[in-house]
Each structure stands twice: as C-alpha cells, then as structure tokens.
Amino acid sequence: MQKRTIKITTVDEYISLFPPEVKVLLKQLRKIIRTAAPDAEEVLSYQMPAYKYNGMLIYFAAHKNHIGLYPFKSAIAAFQKELTKYEGAKGTVRFPFDKPLPEKLITKIVKFRVKENLLKAALKKKK
C-alpha cells in the first residue's frame, strides 16, 4: 500500500492535521515563538513550521509522543544545563505531550537565536 502525503502550505494547515490536545501545544509554541521574535517570517520548511529572521531561526514539528524543537546546535549548547531534563540531540529538543511547554526557556532560546542571526548578518555585511 502506498503512503499518502499531504502537501501543506501554511502553518495553520500543519496544525490542523493533529488531534485537539496536540493542537493546543502547537498553537502555544507558535505564540511563544512569535512573541519572542515578532519580526520573524513564518514559513514552512521541510514540511515543518519554521521562522526566518536574517536566516533560519527555528523549526518545530509534532511527532508521535512529543514536539520537536529545532533551534540549531548553538542554542542547544548555550542552554545545555536548562535542557538536561528533556531528551534531544545536537540540534533538537523534545517536549513530551504530557508535560507543559517551558515557555520561559523557549523564549530565551528564540531570543538567543535572534541575536545570533543578527550578529551573523552584521559580520556578513562587514565582509
């Protein structure tokens, strides 16, 4: 049997694909990111919600039992201590569906990425 893939074009469409309890978390995460980076452009990249601000800023995606947040390796390293209670990898952190999202931590991560992208953009201009 062939697997069907749905081509989504907006973050709203992406969120609509999930059960109500997951939608709540996705909407909350979206609001946290948009509040922390109000000038970021919301896009879909790799069929996931993503935000651009002087380059890619952050991605997120819902999975079977968690929401994956993809803030790049630099942010994972910068917040390593605070992220120890969450599973993850070099460039990702997993927030389980059965626990509240750590709003303050996510806000700090997003703001860190904004500053990082602004610095990269400024250095690029100097060259």
Side-chain angles (χ1 to χ4, degrees), residues 3 10 13 21 31 36 40 45 54-56 74 89 97 101 117:
K3 192 175 182 181
T10 69
E13 286 176 15
E21 61 278 5
K31 183 179 179 187
S45 182
N54 289 299
M56 291 310 291
S74 58
F97 291 150
L101 290 172
N117 278 8

Side-chain angles (χ1 to χ4, degrees), residues 61 63 65-71 76 83 85-102:
H63 298 280
N65 299 308
H66 69 276
I67 293 176
L69 184 69
Y70 308 94
I76 298 295
L83 292 170
K85 59 179 144 184
Y86 302 100
E87 289 184 26
K90 287 182 184 177
T92 183
V93 61
R94 295 181 191 112
F95 299 120
F97 291 150
D98 62 348
K99 302 253 184 342
L101 290 172

Side-chain angles (χ1 to χ4, degrees), residues 70-84:
Y70 308 94
F72 297 84
K73 287 189 256 184
S74 58
I76 298 295
F79 294 94
Q80 187 175 4
K81 277 187 180 178
E82 288 123 303
L83 292 170
T84 55

Side-chain angles (χ1 to χ4, degrees), residues 9-75:
T9 58
T10 69
V11 174
D12 287 323
E13 286 176 15
Y14 179 88
I15 292 171
S16 76
L17 299 173
F18 295 93
E21 61 278 5
V22 177
K23 283 181 190 175
V24 168
L25 293 171
L26 292 171
K27 288 177 181 180
Q28 181 187 3
L29 181 55
R30 182 187 199 187
K31 183 179 179 187
I32 293 166
I33 294 169
R34 291 170 114 180
T35 300
D39 296 326
E41 176 188 4
E42 187 175 73
V43 297
L44 285 175
S45 182
Y46 304 106
Q47 289 292 288
M48 293 187 293
Y51 295 84
K52 285 175 145 182
Y53 185 74
N54 289 299
M56 291 310 291
L57 194 62
I58 199 162
Y59 298 80
F60 68 86
H63 298 280
K64 187 176 180 180
N65 299 308
H66 69 276
I67 293 176
L69 184 69
Y70 308 94
F72 297 84
K73 287 189 256 184
S74 58

